[in-house]
Amino acid sequence: MIVALVKELELRKVELKNQTIETIYFGGGTPSLLTIDELRLLIDTVYKNYSVAKSPEITLEANPDDLLSVRAQSRTIFENYLKTGINRLSIGIQSFFEDDLKRMNRAHNATEAKTCLSVASKHFSNITIDLIYGIPNMSLEKWNENLNMAFSFGVNHISSYALTVEPKTALDTFIKKGTYPPIDEHLALQHFNHLIEKTQQQGFVHYEISNFGKPNYFSKHNTSYWYGKPYIGIGPSAHSFNGDLRSWNVSNNIKYIKTIQKNELPSESEILSRTDKFNEYLMTGLRTIWGISLKRIEDDFGKTYKKYLLKQSEKYINEHLLYIDEDKLLTTKKGKFLCDGIASDLFKIDLS
């Protein structure tokens, strides 16, 4: 697999020939299982085949149990990550409470979550953690303890998401059997509003619906997605985007490797229509503090699209869920929790 990833990076270097790589992100799986030598090989391959910025943001997603495993050698793993060029860690904490982690079928426990952050924060200043809210039976006091625990470690970025139930998961089974309560949207909203209030008090900026960062600690990688910048995704199931075309690799590992071995790209693609791009900009832009630029709508899509957007937005503006400020369409505090539903209602349907 590692050899195939290297080969794909080499095969696709022409796609970003005239662009500078600003971020490198190891995620979408468990990249913390990679050895230091494997990580170094992949990073070196990027530098060898692409133009890379002087100080790129290089992020590694990691689980607490992996970082504290015997193979990782605990404290030295963080030093070794820094030596490879990795300068940002994304750690999947989810919760600091044992019962929550068990219900979500997480591999790590509460002690590992705390120990991992304690050690990691001594080596990395740029750390983001994931926290889940809206967990049934989680009181506001307990959610508050989760947040205070995160703040106590000095993390500068938090990504927080409402608990969702995926089909055929352990949680889905528990709920259907009646051994675990169903998701409560009112509880999730209560947690979300408390999250906004508490992070603001701690100096975080709520710069995207699910992301809270202190100044200079926003995720450069994710922000690039929201700005619509081109990117290349390497590996099985990875998606790529060049501004006009979206492509995705096959999900099957064996098919992926065999295709790469034949010097072929294991991907399919689609060309995005003007309406596709319009809808995507609405979905991503409305989630951020930068909102939707009405000038960009008119410049990129035309007056008809701008007129349509303003017409569709009227009822949400009247309900104080959206507002317009300096030619930007933005969500209000009340509208943030409903952002995705609002955006989908603003979508334009391409009937051509």
Side-chain angles (χ1 to χ4, degrees):
M1 177 61 74
I2 300 299
V3 172
L5 294 175
V6 169
K7 186 65 177 178
E8 186 182 1
L9 280 167
E10 294 171 345
L11 290 172
R12 301 185 65 182
K13 61 183 179 182
V14 294
E15 296 179 33
L16 296 179
K17 187 176 181 180
N18 299 315
Q19 299 183 59
T20 300
I21 302 298
E22 299 173 341
T23 68
I24 301 170
Y25 195 100
F26 289 92
T30 315
S32 50
L33 291 177
L34 294 173
T35 67
I36 293 299
D37 287 340
E38 289 167 343
L39 288 166
R40 185 177 289 114
L41 173 61
L42 292 169
I43 293 172
D44 288 347
T45 301
V46 173
Y47 272 86
K48 182 179 178 181
N49 292 277
Y50 299 80
S51 173
V52 181
K54 187 176 181 181
S55 299
E57 176 188 88
I58 305 181
T59 304
L60 177 83
E61 283 188 0
N63 293 325
D65 47 306
D66 292 327
L67 294 176
L68 296 176
S69 68
V70 175
R71 181 195 61 77
Q73 297 176 19
S74 190
R75 289 170 175 77
T76 58
I77 192 67
F78 299 105
E79 297 169 2
N80 289 334
Y81 281 154
L82 287 168
K83 289 177 183 176
T84 67
I86 292 168
N87 49 34
R88 184 173 183 268
L89 293 179
S90 177
I91 305 177
I93 299 295
Q94 314 308 346
S95 175
F96 291 102
F97 290 93
E98 197 69 32
D99 57 332
D100 295 335
L101 295 171
K102 286 182 178 179
R103 290 192 185 105
M104 291 187 284
N105 202 29
R106 301 298 298 179
H108 67 277
N109 58 44
T111 299
E112 287 174 324
K114 297 169 188 175
T115 302
C116 172
L117 267 184
S118 178
V119 179
S121 60
K122 293 176 182 176
H123 296 85
F124 283 80
S125 63
N126 200 349
I127 294 176
T128 180
I129 65 170
D130 289 347
L131 289 178
I132 301 294
Y133 63 86
I135 300 173
N137 293 335
M138 177 188 276
S139 65
L140 188 60
E141 289 74 23
K142 188 177 180 183
W143 175 232
N144 188 58
E145 284 185 59
N146 252 325
L147 293 174
N148 284 335
M149 182 64 68
F151 300 146
S152 72
F153 288 104
V155 295
N156 291 308
H157 191 283
I158 295 173
S159 293
S160 194
Y161 309 91
L163 179 67
T164 56
V165 182
E166 297 297 330
K168 299 180 181 180
T169 59
L171 184 57
D172 183 38
T173 303
F174 295 152
I175 292 175
K176 286 178 178 177
K177 287 183 177 179
T179 58
Y180 192 74
I183 301 300
D184 182 346
E185 285 196 12
H186 177 74
L187 177 68
L189 176 59
Q190 189 180 33
H191 287 178
F192 181 68
N193 287 334
H194 189 68
L195 169 67
I196 293 173
E197 181 183 341
K198 288 287 289 186
T199 50
Q200 185 177 28
Q201 290 173 2
Q202 294 291 323
F204 288 78
V205 178
H206 187 194
Y207 71 104
E208 195 270 347
I209 293 299
S210 302
N211 288 274
F212 304 77
K214 290 188 177 179
N216 300 318
Y217 286 96
F218 294 3
S219 168
K220 294 179 182 178
H221 187 82
N222 289 344
T223 300
S224 295
Y225 288 144
W226 303 323
Y227 273 129
K229 292 185 178 181
Y231 58 87
I232 287 180
I234 300 296
S237 296
H239 283 59
S240 303
F241 174 68
N242 69 2
D244 296 307
L245 181 143
R246 185 184 312 288
S247 64
W248 55 94
N249 288 344
V250 295
S251 58
N252 184 283
N253 287 359
I254 295 175
K255 287 183 180 178
Y256 168 80
I257 293 172
K258 287 186 175 180
T259 306
I260 290 289
Q261 287 174 341
K262 293 186 284 187
N263 289 327
E264 298 175 3
L265 294 177
S267 62
E268 298 180 51
S269 63
E270 64 175 350
I271 296 176
L272 300 181
S273 67
R274 177 183 292 187
T275 300
D276 290 334
K277 295 176 186 177
F278 172 81
N279 291 342
E280 188 153 312
Y281 177 46
L282 293 188
M283 178 59 77
T284 56
L286 208 57
R287 291 177 61 93
T288 72
I289 58 172
W290 305 289
I292 302 294
S293 168
L294 297 177
K295 182 179 185 303
R296 177 178 169 183
I297 292 291
E298 184 172 340
D299 291 345
D300 292 358
F301 304 104
K303 292 183 178 180
T304 301
Y305 279 79
K306 180 180 177 181
K307 183 178 179 181
Y308 172 86
L309 175 59
L310 291 174
K311 181 65 178 176
Q312 289 292 103
S313 301
E314 281 181 4
K315 64 177 179 179
Y316 294 109
I317 292 173
N318 292 336
E319 293 171 4
H320 305 290
L321 298 173
L322 296 177
Y323 69 102
I324 295 175
D325 181 44
E326 295 184 354
D327 209 40
K328 298 282 180 65
L329 183 66
L330 302 144
T331 55
T332 63
K333 181 180 179 180
K334 181 181 175 183
K336 289 184 187 301
F337 188 71
L338 305 170
C339 181
D340 288 347
I342 294 172
S344 62
D345 195 39
L346 299 180
F347 285 172
K348 199 171 192 306
I349 300 174
D350 194 347
L351 299 176
S352 59

